[in-house]
Amino acid sequence: QAPVALEAYVDAPAFAAHPPTPVAPLRAAGRIKFLLFHRGGALARVSPAALAEICAMASYRGHEIFVKDGSTVAPTIDCFTWGGAVKMANPSEAAMQADYARIEALCLDGLWEFT
């Protein structure tokens, strides 16, 4: 992928010689799920139970939380106001979508505990 991306910028004929879509079948679906704040306020903590549920998902590959307990947060409006991110991959697109939707539901209610 990296050589092809470089060709897109520096060698248009070489880039044009590649097939328009990858020829190898996909082996898994992957996503980054950004952890959104749907409300603002004083964040007491990230729910340990909700975070444990995310970490136990079949699609889970890692996460990072960008805020600290006790922070004042605002509703997410851009990439600077996300609360964190979860790396996801799964051989099943349907399972990936289900895990993604569940994480979003937790962002709406359960992941963030406010004072």
Side-chain angles (χ1 to χ4, degrees):
Q1 290 175 350
V4 173
L6 180 62
E7 288 171 356
Y9 291 100
V10 300
D11 191 348
F15 179 74
H18 292 286
T21 58
V23 293
L26 291 177
R27 294 181 294 173
R31 306 278 189 285
I32 297 290
K33 174 60 180 109
F34 297 107
L35 304 176
L36 308 180
F37 291 112
H38 292 279
R39 62 170 275 211
L43 181 67
R45 68 180 185 160
V46 178
S47 166
L51 192 55
E53 180 181 344
I54 292 169
C55 292
M57 291 177 173
S59 302
Y60 175 83
R61 296 298 176 265
H63 75 278
E64 186 173 356
I65 301 296
F66 303 150
V67 294
K68 296 181 180 174
D69 294 351
S71 298
T72 299
V73 300
T76 298
I77 57 169
D78 57 25
C79 64
F80 301 107
T81 54
W82 294 325
V86 178
K87 294 184 289 185
M88 306 173 71
N90 196 303
S92 164
E93 177 69 28
M96 165 67 67
Q97 293 291 343
D99 287 349
Y100 191 97
R102 178 60 185 142
I103 294 172
E104 181 55 23
L106 288 168
C107 287
L108 282 163
D109 184 28
L111 181 60
W112 313 114
E113 295 180 3
F114 292 91
T115 57

